[in-house]
Amino acid sequence: MGAPQIHQRFAPGARLPRHRHAAGYLAVVIDGAYTEAGDAGRFRLTAGQLVHHREFEAHGDQFGTAGARVLNLPCPPDAPPLPVGRLADLDGVVRLAERDPAAAAALALASLNPVCDERDWPDLLAADLRADPSLRLDAWAETAGLAPSTLARGFLRAYGVSPKRYRAEVRALKAWRCIASSPLTLAEFALELGFADQAHMTRALVKLTGRTPAAVRRVAGRVDSGPTIHSTPRPTPSR
């Protein structure tokens, strides 16, 4: 999906299933409240807050009893990766967006203050999976004192997707964001991120972006130096 329309109104109790946008954008909450769970984490958003959706990130939304009005702005290419924050001048951003959405986006980012949410174990697991897409779910569950079935059900309820699928998708996102700058060959890079092999990474990136790893590097002016032979390939985590 591309970026959504600039103004959106959501009814009380509305729900948006997990979905993905190919283009990045900034969502400003004008009024109301909702919870968003996605590839950047889970956030409880209220009026005056902004959430930054980077390209190819997926998220789902659950709206509260008052619904919400949301202003969607174009995302500047140099936008910081901060996923959520509170605006110092919500009214100024909304007024400016009527005549210049790009300028409103710049003002929003310039006046953005970070916010911190209290996090429970699904959010901690999501953060750990983003940091390490090779994380073993059974080991994490044992450390947290949770049964694997409890882990799977609780994460699905919070994020709208199983922890295994979340792990696979954040691994693909990490590959997309880092592949052009990594000095490793494509085969080495695939193993570094926990893919079974280069072909596994290629399938994941094509599914996410429609582009192969080699094509991403060509666009960035990089040419892969060729495969490296590894005596012991790293298997993809299965649990």
Side-chain angles (χ1 to χ4, degrees), residues 6 29 57-58 118 128 174:
I6 188 168
V29 185
E57 282 186 346
E118 293 184 5
D128 287 346
K174 192 167 188 176

Side-chain angles (χ1 to χ4, degrees), residues 29 34 37 42 45-46 58 72 109 125 130 135-136 142 147 163 167 193 197 205 212 219 221 223 232 238:
V29 185
Y34 63 98
R42 185 168 52 151
L45 303 166
T46 57
N72 297 306
L109 290 173
L125 174 56
R130 293 193 298 273
L135 182 71
R136 290 183 62 89
E142 182 177 358
R167 180 176 60 189
L193 287 190
D197 51 30
L205 257 68
T212 66
V219 170
V223 178
T232 309
S238 60

Side-chain angles (χ1 to χ4, degrees), residues 6 25 28 35 40 46 69 72 75 109 147 151 154 167 174 193 203 205 208 228 234:
I6 188 168
Y25 69 99
V28 176
T35 297
T46 57
R69 283 193 302 142
N72 297 306
C75 185
L109 290 173
L151 185 90
R167 180 176 60 189
K174 192 167 188 176
L193 287 190
R203 291 192 299 272
L205 257 68
L208 178 70
T228 299
R234 183 186 304 172

